[in-house]
Amino acid sequence: MTTKYELVFIPSPGHGHLAPTVEMAKLLVDRDDRLSVSVLIMKFPFDSEIDSHFESLAASIAARIRLVLLPLQDPSPRTSPLLFVHHFVESHKADVREAVAELSARSSPRLTGLVFDMFCTSMIDVAVEFGVPSYMFFTSGAAFLGIMLHLQSLQDEQHMDLTRLKGPDAELDFPCFANPLPASKFLPLEVFMEEDRRIFLGHALRFRETKGILVNTFAELEPRALEALASMGAPPVYPIGPILNIKVQSEKGFEILDWVDQQPDASVVFLCFGSRGTFHENQAKEIAHALERTGYRFLWSLRQAPAKGMMKAPCDYPDPAEALPEGFLDRTAGLGRVIGWAPQVAVLAHSAIGGFVSHCGWNSTLESIWFGIPVATWPQYAEQQLNAFQLVVELGLAAEIKMDYRRDHAIGSDCVVTADEIEGGIRKLMEGEEARERRKKVKEVSEKSRKALAEGGSSYLSLAHFIEDVSSQ
């Protein structure tokens, strides 16, 4: 059948947003052979890995998906990551407009909408210019979406001074949670910094202008949060997840997987902190002490933080021993492995993994659920704190290491989580009746995640509703 209509996807820069966007595009074109998708990709000037990611994604896409690498922009550095991303996305607006104009000028396929990422809301203006609907792909969970909308409403409609929530006893009631939440543990730092708050909640305000919001979650994972969104004045919400790249064939051959193959089932603690997850030497030493004390087998992906004030991608330590306690690698040689970048999906899919110490990025959260691996939470950024809190409070699927961890690579600030805290979290993850109950719950939710995507499942049907809406434009 001839392609009849086209969607333009605009993900935020970074592999953590690009990869699920491409996976969603694959899902759409597989479900409807009338549809084609163009993905407009912004490249960070300091992201040396994007070219390899681009090539890998390009090799895996269907014929009706087109990846377009936009011209490189390099706006002046800003004092916070949120500000930098905001100005970086704005610098690509003209390039997006030009690409959309080219598509709009064609008679076939007909351009029927722009689907932009949660941090690209200014692209609504481009959709308005060309008279097409705008949709948002929210790459995180429904609870985080609800929190953003609620905070924005408190500020703009109820005129609450959000900075007063800094106190240790401050709590907030959110429609998407059953109980009040302590602000000190989860509230994004952006709420307390004026310009960042304006941008963070400005995105939430513009969410309301869209024709619909696709959310990378499934109804069985966040039923309360999804139900609450309607009461917050959100546009129609389509829970279509979990959207994951779970194919691990290309990961085979990694030497570290040979070591994992030799370990007993559910015996290894896997520590991995995402594409931005890095530690300075003082924190790395605390993790090492904790691992040595627990005596558990471990696989630890340790990456080096950029220099203070540098907006750069993480890298592997040239010699991990330099960041670790003297003799640690020798003493634990028969117990675990310290590596750089890790093939996370392939590792989580392995039967030897018994627990996952994670930064709680949403992709990692969904992967851990899909493979039935319980998590010890150590979120490192605002959106990860919100996701982790949803995971812990609502579902009881995770043990806690540190929920109120605060860091800012751009200005070099960092707090240190002690070896005692890390050891305690790992033991809660791996030992005792609570750990056994948690493992059982995770396995149950894992089964639900797979059923949601199967024919007739909740996410399968939700995606069908979205396709029907788009095709009727």
Side-chain angles (χ1 to χ4, degrees):
M1 183 181 293
T2 303
T3 303
K4 291 187 175 180
Y5 56 96
E6 179 155 18
L7 290 171
V8 174
F9 283 55
I10 310 169
S12 291
H15 187 64
H17 290 260
L18 173 59
T21 298
V22 172
E23 291 303 314
M24 184 174 70
K26 292 179 186 177
L27 201 60
L28 283 167
V29 299
D30 284 346
R31 287 283 296 275
D32 191 334
D33 57 10
R34 299 168 300 169
L35 175 65
S36 62
V37 174
S38 291
V39 183
L40 309 184
I41 301 172
M42 295 174 255
K43 176 182 176 180
F44 279 137
F46 49 78
D47 188 352
S48 59
E49 298 178 349
I50 187 64
D51 292 332
S52 61
H53 290 323
F54 183 87
E55 292 174 5
S56 174
L57 291 169
S60 67
I61 60 174
R64 286 177 286 116
I65 300 175
R66 185 172 68 112
L67 303 184
V68 180
L69 196 58
L70 296 175
L72 184 64
Q73 303 290 342
D74 191 4
S76 60
R78 302 282 166 172
T79 56
S80 76
L82 187 62
L83 273 172
F84 178 82
V85 171
H86 173 74
H87 288 282
F88 185 76
V89 171
E90 282 292 311
S91 72
H92 283 84
K93 206 166 183 179
D95 299 318
V96 170
R97 186 180 291 109
E98 183 177 339
V100 172
E102 178 186 335
L103 294 169
S104 182
R106 300 185 313 198
S107 58
S108 181
R110 178 171 54 90
L111 179 63
T112 55
L114 266 59
V115 184
F116 58 85
D117 186 273
M118 54 198 286
F119 296 121
C120 299
T121 57
S122 65
M123 300 304 170
I124 293 174
D125 301 334
V126 178
V128 171
E129 285 181 41
F130 289 92
V132 295
S134 59
Y135 302 88
M136 182 175 66
F137 177 36
F138 199 78
T139 53
S140 194
F144 183 17
L145 173 59
I147 287 173
M148 289 187 71
L149 290 171
H150 189 60
L151 289 174
Q152 178 268 319
S153 176
L154 290 177
Q155 175 185 267
D156 298 338
E157 297 171 22
Q158 301 183 36
H159 309 292
M160 177 183 286
D161 178 9
L162 298 179
T163 61
R164 70 180 178 82
L165 299 171
K166 284 184 178 180
D169 299 323
E171 289 187 332
L172 269 178
D173 286 307
F174 285 95
C176 48
F177 290 110
N179 300 301
L181 300 184
S184 62
K185 278 199 169 185
F186 83 95
L187 203 61
L189 286 175
E190 288 87 343
V191 166
F192 303 132
M193 296 181 288
E194 183 174 354
E195 191 168 7
D196 276 7
R197 181 173 69 252
R198 179 179 59 80
I199 293 170
F200 185 75
L201 299 183
H203 285 306
L205 180 62
R206 300 213 71 180
F207 293 171
R208 302 177 186 277
E209 300 177 39
T210 64
K211 196 172 189 299
I213 302 177
L214 299 141
V215 185
N216 191 7
T217 191
F218 54 103
E220 295 79 2
L221 180 65
E222 300 185 274
R224 183 184 180 91
L226 287 165
E227 182 179 351
L229 287 171
S231 68
M232 298 180 190
V237 172
Y238 304 91
I240 58 170
I243 296 177
L244 301 166
N245 182 359
I246 55 173
K247 297 178 181 178
V248 299
Q249 294 92 329
S250 61
E251 312 289 8
K252 292 180 179 179
F254 280 99
E255 182 181 350
I256 192 58
L257 295 181
D258 295 335
W259 177 83
V260 178
D261 285 340
Q262 300 169 30
Q263 310 311 311
D265 285 355
S267 66
V268 177
V269 178
F270 177 42
L271 299 91
C272 190
F273 300 89
S275 59
R276 294 185 290 166
T278 61
F279 292 110
H280 293 288
E281 292 179 16
N282 53 354
Q283 184 63 79
K285 286 180 169 63
E286 294 293 317
I287 298 173
H289 289 312
L291 289 171
E292 195 167 0
R293 287 182 202 167
T294 66
Y296 282 111
R297 292 175 173 86
F298 66 86
L299 177 62
W300 178 11
S301 173
L302 174 61
R303 307 199 77 196
Q304 186 174 18
K308 180 178 178 180
M310 296 290 291
M311 293 289 290
K312 294 184 64 176
C315 61
D316 295 347
Y317 277 97
D319 180 7
E322 295 178 0
L324 299 170
E326 186 175 353
F328 171 79
L329 293 176
D330 292 332
R331 292 191 300 273
T332 60
L335 194 66
R337 292 289 185 273
V338 178
I339 61 174
W341 178 87
Q344 181 169 292
V345 169
V347 173
L348 289 174
H350 202 287
S351 62
I353 304 303
F356 181 26
V357 178
S358 171
H359 68 307
C360 299
W362 194 242
N363 290 335
S364 294
T365 298
L366 292 177
E367 288 167 6
S368 68
I369 288 172
W370 183 268
F371 293 113
I373 305 298
V375 170
T377 60
W378 188 347
Q380 298 180 6
Y381 297 91
E383 71 273 16
Q384 294 156 4
Q385 287 159 349
L386 298 172
N387 291 334
F389 219 103
Q390 185 272 333
L391 190 70
V392 174
V393 174
E394 294 287 287
L395 300 175
L397 304 181
E400 179 182 337
I401 289 180
K402 186 75 170 177
M403 284 296 300
D404 53 351
Y405 184 65
R406 301 296 197 221
R407 75 187 310 176
D408 189 337
H409 287 314
I411 60 177
S413 68
D414 212 346
C415 66
V416 175
V417 182
T418 67
D420 287 344
E421 292 173 294
I422 300 165
E423 179 186 357
I426 291 175
R427 291 193 183 280
K428 284 188 290 185
L429 179 67
M430 301 294 286
E431 298 175 5
E433 184 59 34
E434 282 190 16
R436 285 188 286 274
E437 183 62 26
R438 188 181 299 115
R439 192 175 305 279
K440 179 182 176 182
K441 287 183 180 179
V442 174
K443 297 293 185 184
E444 291 172 355
V445 180
S446 173
E447 182 64 25
K448 291 177 180 178
S449 74
R450 294 165 186 257
K451 288 182 178 179
L453 289 179
E455 186 171 356
S458 60
S459 294
Y460 182 95
L461 296 175
S462 188
L463 185 67
H465 293 151
F466 173 71
I467 291 173
E468 182 180 356
D469 182 45
V470 170
S471 61
S472 66
Q473 297 299 320

